[in-house]
Amino acid sequence: MSQTLNTFRRIVTGHDADGHAVIVSDAPPVRSQLVGGPGGPTFVEVWHTLETPALIRRQPDDSDETGLVLPPPKNATRIRVIEFPPEGEEIRKLTGADAAAKFKSMGDEGASTSAAGAPHPLMHRTQTVDYGIVLEGEITLVLDRGETIIRTGDIVIQNGTNHAWANRSGSLCRMAFVLIDGEFNLS
């Protein structure tokens, strides 16, 4: 597990054999991955469901996945925390092929929309509705047409739009994301 700056706990609840509510686990998340090498973001996989409505199991676990996968499973959900370090020149100089390789390492090469003239080299799009909550720091949400700085406590509802995250602040930004599988209906 790659080291995060401020480890947090993941408390998972369930039920005992008598149907009473119990704590199943109380520990830091066990899966994290530094994406793109030094200077890249660290993804901390917190939990996912395999379907909606989600099946509520007596003793839930998320052992069916072992690696990083950008979107949630089909018809399901995912929550993760991403720690974005300040963006350096190595990010700003990425080529389209470099960007595609970074998204491939996250299990979704097709998400990359990097192209010449794009507002950011890590532009991407997923068929999801994402709730992004800034827990610490600030980051710039970059869209095809426009951008905005979001700060601690701000929440973004990202509706399958082409976007990138640029940490221009000089300090770490930590965000929690809830990702919900979606389907485009843009007509």
Side-chain angles (χ1 to χ4, degrees):
M1 180 165 128
S2 69
Q3 194 170 23
T4 59
L5 296 179
N6 294 316
T7 303
F8 59 92
R9 294 165 41 209
R10 179 186 77 170
I11 297 100
V12 179
T13 65
H15 300 88
D16 65 15
D18 297 323
H20 293 102
V22 297
I23 294 173
V24 174
S25 66
D26 182 346
V30 295
R31 291 185 325 211
S32 68
Q33 182 175 329
L34 176 64
V35 176
T42 298
F43 283 60
V44 181
E45 298 299 273
V46 179
W47 196 258
H48 67 275
T49 64
L50 297 175
E51 62 281 310
T52 52
L55 294 179
I56 299 171
R57 294 176 174 85
R58 183 177 307 277
Q59 296 285 302
D61 71 41
D62 64 344
S63 60
D64 58 299
E65 286 186 348
T66 58
L68 175 64
V69 182
L70 187 62
K74 188 72 181 154
N75 298 315
T77 67
R78 178 177 312 285
I79 182 170
R80 71 169 42 109
V81 172
I82 303 178
E83 293 185 341
F84 295 95
E87 187 174 287
E89 277 301 307
E90 67 279 357
I91 298 294
R92 291 187 280 275
K93 291 182 178 182
L94 288 173
T95 65
D98 294 335
K102 289 192 183 301
F103 284 99
K104 183 176 184 178
S105 76
M106 294 182 261
D108 196 0
E109 182 177 15
S112 179
T113 59
S114 183
H120 191 278
L122 290 176
M123 295 296 286
H124 64 285
R125 182 178 185 187
T126 56
Q127 194 165 256
T128 59
V129 173
D130 305 337
Y131 305 138
I133 305 152
V134 180
L135 303 173
E136 177 183 333
E138 69 178 40
I139 197 161
T140 302
L141 169 61
V142 181
L143 300 173
D144 292 329
R145 295 189 178 149
E147 58 184 52
T148 189
I149 297 172
I150 56 175
R151 295 177 174 86
T152 301
D154 291 345
I155 300 171
V156 174
I157 294 89
Q158 202 285 114
N159 288 292
T161 55
N162 195 36
H163 68 287
W165 302 102
N167 184 349
R168 301 171 183 156
S169 72
S171 299
L172 178 85
C173 177
R174 177 185 273 191
M175 290 185 71
F177 290 91
V178 176
L179 300 92
I180 303 165
D181 182 45
E183 186 173 306
F184 288 124
N185 181 8
L186 303 176
S187 54

mmCIF file of all heavy atoms in Angstrom, residues 91-120:
data_model
loop_
_atom_site.group_PDB
_atom_site.id
_atom_site.type_symbol
_atom_site.label_atom_id
_atom_site.label_comp_id
_atom_site.label_asym_id
_atom_site.label_seq_id
_atom_site.Cartn_x
_atom_site.Cartn_y
_atom_site.Cartn_z
ATOM 1 N N ILE A 91 3.203 16.717 -15.504
ATOM 2 C CA ILE A 91 1.795 16.546 -15.877
ATOM 3 C C ILE A 91 1.463 17.438 -17.072
ATOM 4 O O ILE A 91 0.830 17.008 -18.041
ATOM 5 C CB ILE A 91 0.852 16.864 -14.697
ATOM 6 C CG1 ILE A 91 1.098 15.895 -13.533
ATOM 7 C CG2 ILE A 91 -0.610 16.859 -15.129
ATOM 8 C CD1 ILE A 91 0.756 14.456 -13.815
ATOM 9 N N ARG A 92 1.876 18.675 -17.011
ATOM 10 C CA ARG A 92 1.540 19.629 -18.085
ATOM 11 C C ARG A 92 2.159 19.252 -19.425
ATOM 12 O O ARG A 92 1.683 19.676 -20.466
ATOM 13 C CB ARG A 92 1.953 21.041 -17.665
ATOM 14 C CG ARG A 92 1.097 21.585 -16.518
ATOM 15 C CD ARG A 92 1.397 23.043 -16.212
ATOM 16 N NE ARG A 92 2.589 23.229 -15.409
ATOM 17 C CZ ARG A 92 2.634 23.170 -14.080
ATOM 18 N NH1 ARG A 92 1.532 22.920 -13.395
ATOM 19 N NH2 ARG A 92 3.757 23.367 -13.430
ATOM 20 N N LYS A 93 3.221 18.439 -19.407
ATOM 21 C CA LYS A 93 3.909 18.059 -20.650
ATOM 22 C C LYS A 93 3.485 16.688 -21.185
ATOM 23 O O LYS A 93 4.065 16.189 -22.147
ATOM 24 C CB LYS A 93 5.417 18.057 -20.416
ATOM 25 C CG LYS A 93 5.992 19.439 -20.200
ATOM 26 C CD LYS A 93 7.487 19.378 -20.020
ATOM 27 C CE LYS A 93 8.062 20.773 -19.862
ATOM 28 N NZ LYS A 93 9.522 20.734 -19.727
ATOM 29 N N LEU A 94 2.457 16.071 -20.590
ATOM 30 C CA LEU A 94 2.024 14.755 -21.048
ATOM 31 C C LEU A 94 1.500 14.803 -22.485
ATOM 32 O O LEU A 94 0.791 15.726 -22.858
ATOM 33 C CB LEU A 94 0.908 14.217 -20.154
ATOM 34 C CG LEU A 94 1.288 13.776 -18.751
ATOM 35 C CD1 LEU A 94 0.042 13.428 -17.957
ATOM 36 C CD2 LEU A 94 2.246 12.606 -18.785
ATOM 37 N N THR A 95 1.811 13.768 -23.242
ATOM 38 C CA THR A 95 1.254 13.624 -24.584
ATOM 39 C C THR A 95 -0.059 12.842 -24.483
ATOM 40 O O THR A 95 -0.375 12.271 -23.434
ATOM 41 C CB THR A 95 2.216 12.830 -25.491
ATOM 42 O OG1 THR A 95 2.311 11.496 -24.977
ATOM 43 C CG2 THR A 95 3.586 13.484 -25.556
ATOM 44 N N GLY A 96 -0.802 12.781 -25.565
ATOM 45 C CA GLY A 96 -2.027 11.993 -25.592
ATOM 46 C C GLY A 96 -1.761 10.529 -25.282
ATOM 47 O O GLY A 96 -2.529 9.887 -24.556
ATOM 48 N N ALA A 97 -0.662 9.998 -25.809
ATOM 49 C CA ALA A 97 -0.307 8.595 -25.538
ATOM 50 C C ALA A 97 0.048 8.401 -24.069
ATOM 51 O O ALA A 97 -0.334 7.393 -23.461
ATOM 52 C CB ALA A 97 0.854 8.161 -26.436
ATOM 53 N N ASP A 98 0.759 9.373 -23.490
ATOM 54 C CA ASP A 98 1.097 9.298 -22.058
ATOM 55 C C ASP A 98 -0.178 9.286 -21.219
ATOM 56 O O ASP A 98 -0.300 8.506 -20.273
ATOM 57 C CB ASP A 98 1.935 10.504 -21.625
ATOM 58 C CG ASP A 98 3.309 10.563 -22.267
ATOM 59 O OD1 ASP A 98 3.841 9.507 -22.668
ATOM 60 O OD2 ASP A 98 3.854 11.692 -22.365
ATOM 61 N N ALA A 99 -1.119 10.165 -21.557
ATOM 62 C CA ALA A 99 -2.374 10.249 -20.805
ATOM 63 C C ALA A 99 -3.160 8.942 -20.924
ATOM 64 O O ALA A 99 -3.669 8.429 -19.928
ATOM 65 C CB ALA A 99 -3.214 11.422 -21.302
ATOM 66 N N ALA A 100 -3.229 8.401 -22.132
ATOM 67 C CA ALA A 100 -3.945 7.131 -22.331
ATOM 68 C C ALA A 100 -3.312 6.027 -21.485
ATOM 69 O O ALA A 100 -4.020 5.209 -20.897
ATOM 70 C CB ALA A 100 -3.954 6.746 -23.804
ATOM 71 N N ALA A 101 -1.980 6.024 -21.389
ATOM 72 C CA ALA A 101 -1.291 5.017 -20.581
ATOM 73 C C ALA A 101 -1.643 5.170 -19.101
ATOM 74 O O ALA A 101 -1.817 4.177 -18.395
ATOM 75 C CB ALA A 101 0.219 5.117 -20.779
ATOM 76 N N LYS A 102 -1.765 6.387 -18.630
ATOM 77 C CA LYS A 102 -2.131 6.609 -17.222
ATOM 78 C C LYS A 102 -3.540 6.082 -16.948
ATOM 79 O O LYS A 102 -3.778 5.447 -15.926
ATOM 80 C CB LYS A 102 -2.008 8.076 -16.858
ATOM 81 C CG LYS A 102 -0.556 8.523 -16.787
ATOM 82 C CD LYS A 102 -0.389 9.860 -16.171
ATOM 83 C CE LYS A 102 1.053 10.308 -16.178
ATOM 84 N NZ LYS A 102 1.978 9.445 -15.483
ATOM 85 N N PHE A 103 -4.478 6.337 -17.870
ATOM 86 C CA PHE A 103 -5.838 5.829 -17.667
ATOM 87 C C PHE A 103 -5.892 4.318 -17.835
ATOM 88 O O PHE A 103 -6.677 3.646 -17.169
ATOM 89 C CB PHE A 103 -6.831 6.549 -18.581
ATOM 90 C CG PHE A 103 -7.140 7.936 -18.085
ATOM 91 C CD1 PHE A 103 -6.512 9.039 -18.634
ATOM 92 C CD2 PHE A 103 -8.023 8.132 -17.035
ATOM 93 C CE1 PHE A 103 -6.766 10.313 -18.146
ATOM 94 C CE2 PHE A 103 -8.286 9.393 -16.537
ATOM 95 C CZ PHE A 103 -7.654 10.493 -17.102
ATOM 96 N N LYS A 104 -5.033 3.767 -18.685
ATOM 97 C CA LYS A 104 -4.967 2.308 -18.820
ATOM 98 C C LYS A 104 -4.532 1.683 -17.502
ATOM 99 O O LYS A 104 -5.060 0.649 -17.091
ATOM 100 C CB LYS A 104 -4.003 1.916 -19.934
ATOM 101 C CG LYS A 104 -3.949 0.421 -20.184
ATOM 102 C CD LYS A 104 -3.064 0.076 -21.369
ATOM 103 C CE LYS A 104 -3.120 -1.416 -21.650
ATOM 104 N NZ LYS A 104 -2.307 -1.762 -22.809
ATOM 105 N N SER A 105 -3.600 2.345 -16.788
ATOM 106 C CA SER A 105 -3.152 1.820 -15.495
ATOM 107 C C SER A 105 -4.272 1.854 -14.453
ATOM 108 O O SER A 105 -4.187 1.188 -13.427
ATOM 109 C CB SER A 105 -1.932 2.592 -14.986
ATOM 110 O OG SER A 105 -2.298 3.859 -14.477
ATOM 111 N N MET A 106 -5.333 2.632 -14.733
ATOM 112 C CA MET A 106 -6.501 2.695 -13.852
ATOM 113 C C MET A 106 -7.635 1.824 -14.377
ATOM 114 O O MET A 106 -8.772 1.928 -13.918
ATOM 115 C CB MET A 106 -6.990 4.138 -13.729
ATOM 116 C CG MET A 106 -6.035 5.064 -13.024
ATOM 117 S SD MET A 106 -6.716 6.722 -12.879
ATOM 118 C CE MET A 106 -5.902 7.548 -14.240
ATOM 119 N N GLY A 107 -7.352 0.997 -15.384
ATOM 120 C CA GLY A 107 -8.346 0.065 -15.889
ATOM 121 C C GLY A 107 -9.362 0.665 -16.834
ATOM 122 O O GLY A 107 -10.398 0.060 -17.086
ATOM 123 N N ASP A 108 -9.085 1.869 -17.397
ATOM 124 C CA ASP A 108 -10.066 2.494 -18.289
ATOM 125 C C ASP A 108 -9.382 3.419 -19.293
ATOM 126 O O ASP A 108 -9.580 4.627 -19.272
ATOM 127 C CB ASP A 108 -11.109 3.270 -17.485
ATOM 128 C CG ASP A 108 -12.352 3.603 -18.308
ATOM 129 O OD1 ASP A 108 -12.414 3.242 -19.505
ATOM 130 O OD2 ASP A 108 -13.262 4.231 -17.750
ATOM 131 N N GLU A 109 -8.576 2.817 -20.190
ATOM 132 C CA GLU A 109 -7.863 3.586 -21.198
ATOM 133 C C GLU A 109 -8.826 4.419 -22.039
ATOM 134 O O GLU A 109 -8.510 5.527 -22.454
ATOM 135 C CB GLU A 109 -7.062 2.636 -22.092
ATOM 136 C CG GLU A 109 -6.231 3.325 -23.149
ATOM 137 C CD GLU A 109 -5.398 2.333 -23.947
ATOM 138 O OE1 GLU A 109 -5.660 1.113 -23.880
ATOM 139 O OE2 GLU A 109 -4.489 2.799 -24.650
ATOM 140 N N GLY A 110 -10.049 3.913 -22.272
ATOM 141 C CA GLY A 110 -11.032 4.613 -23.088
ATOM 142 C C GLY A 110 -11.539 5.903 -22.473
ATOM 143 O O GLY A 110 -12.165 6.709 -23.155
ATOM 144 N N ALA A 111 -11.284 6.121 -21.182
ATOM 145 C CA ALA A 111 -11.740 7.353 -20.526
ATOM 146 C C ALA A 111 -10.946 8.569 -20.995
ATOM 147 O O ALA A 111 -11.453 9.687 -20.973
ATOM 148 C CB ALA A 111 -11.638 7.229 -19.010
ATOM 149 N N SER A 112 -9.712 8.367 -21.418
ATOM 150 C CA SER A 112 -8.853 9.489 -21.806
ATOM 151 C C SER A 112 -9.391 10.172 -23.058
ATOM 152 O O SER A 112 -9.723 9.533 -24.050
ATOM 153 C CB SER A 112 -7.432 8.992 -22.082
ATOM 154 O OG SER A 112 -6.607 10.080 -22.473
ATOM 155 N N THR A 113 -9.507 11.495 -22.991
ATOM 156 C CA THR A 113 -9.940 12.290 -24.146
ATOM 157 C C THR A 113 -8.877 13.313 -24.511
ATOM 158 O O THR A 113 -9.168 14.312 -25.153
ATOM 159 C CB THR A 113 -11.278 12.995 -23.850
ATOM 160 O OG1 THR A 113 -11.107 13.844 -22.707
ATOM 161 C CG2 THR A 113 -12.391 11.992 -23.609
ATOM 162 N N SER A 114 -7.645 13.053 -24.090
ATOM 163 C CA SER A 114 -6.548 13.978 -24.345
ATOM 164 C C SER A 114 -6.351 14.153 -25.847
ATOM 165 O O SER A 114 -6.354 13.185 -26.601
ATOM 166 C CB SER A 114 -5.264 13.435 -23.713
ATOM 167 O OG SER A 114 -4.213 14.349 -23.893
ATOM 168 N N ALA A 115 -6.226 15.397 -26.248
ATOM 169 C CA ALA A 115 -6.007 15.717 -27.663
ATOM 170 C C ALA A 115 -5.286 17.055 -27.741
ATOM 171 O O ALA A 115 -5.311 17.844 -26.792
ATOM 172 C CB ALA A 115 -7.347 15.793 -28.398
ATOM 173 N N ALA A 116 -4.676 17.306 -28.876
ATOM 174 C CA ALA A 116 -4.011 18.596 -29.081
ATOM 175 C C ALA A 116 -5.016 19.717 -28.863
ATOM 176 O O ALA A 116 -6.147 19.651 -29.333
ATOM 177 C CB ALA A 116 -3.422 18.659 -30.486
ATOM 178 N N GLY A 117 -4.610 20.720 -28.123
ATOM 179 C CA GLY A 117 -5.484 21.865 -27.872
ATOM 180 C C GLY A 117 -6.460 21.677 -26.728
ATOM 181 O O GLY A 117 -7.240 22.577 -26.414
ATOM 182 N N ALA A 118 -6.453 20.494 -26.092
ATOM 183 C CA ALA A 118 -7.354 20.259 -24.951
ATOM 184 C C ALA A 118 -6.956 21.185 -23.810
ATOM 185 O O ALA A 118 -5.793 21.552 -23.669
ATOM 186 C CB ALA A 118 -7.275 18.800 -24.501
ATOM 187 N N PRO A 119 -7.900 21.563 -22.964
ATOM 188 C CA PRO A 119 -7.578 22.477 -21.874
ATOM 189 C C PRO A 119 -6.641 21.885 -20.817
ATOM 190 O O PRO A 119 -6.056 22.626 -20.039
ATOM 191 C CB PRO A 119 -8.932 22.825 -21.255
ATOM 192 C CG PRO A 119 -9.932 21.943 -21.877
ATOM 193 C CD PRO A 119 -9.328 21.270 -23.058
ATOM 194 N N HIS A 120 -6.501 20.552 -20.777
ATOM 195 C CA HIS A 120 -5.602 19.897 -19.820
ATOM 196 C C HIS A 120 -5.233 18.530 -20.400
ATOM 197 O O HIS A 120 -6.080 17.877 -21.018
ATOM 198 C CB HIS A 120 -6.304 19.736 -18.468
ATOM 199 C CG HIS A 120 -5.390 19.325 -17.365
ATOM 200 N ND1 HIS A 120 -5.018 18.011 -17.155
ATOM 201 C CD2 HIS A 120 -4.764 20.053 -16.409
ATOM 202 C CE1 HIS A 120 -4.211 17.954 -16.107
ATOM 203 N NE2 HIS A 120 -4.039 19.180 -15.635
#
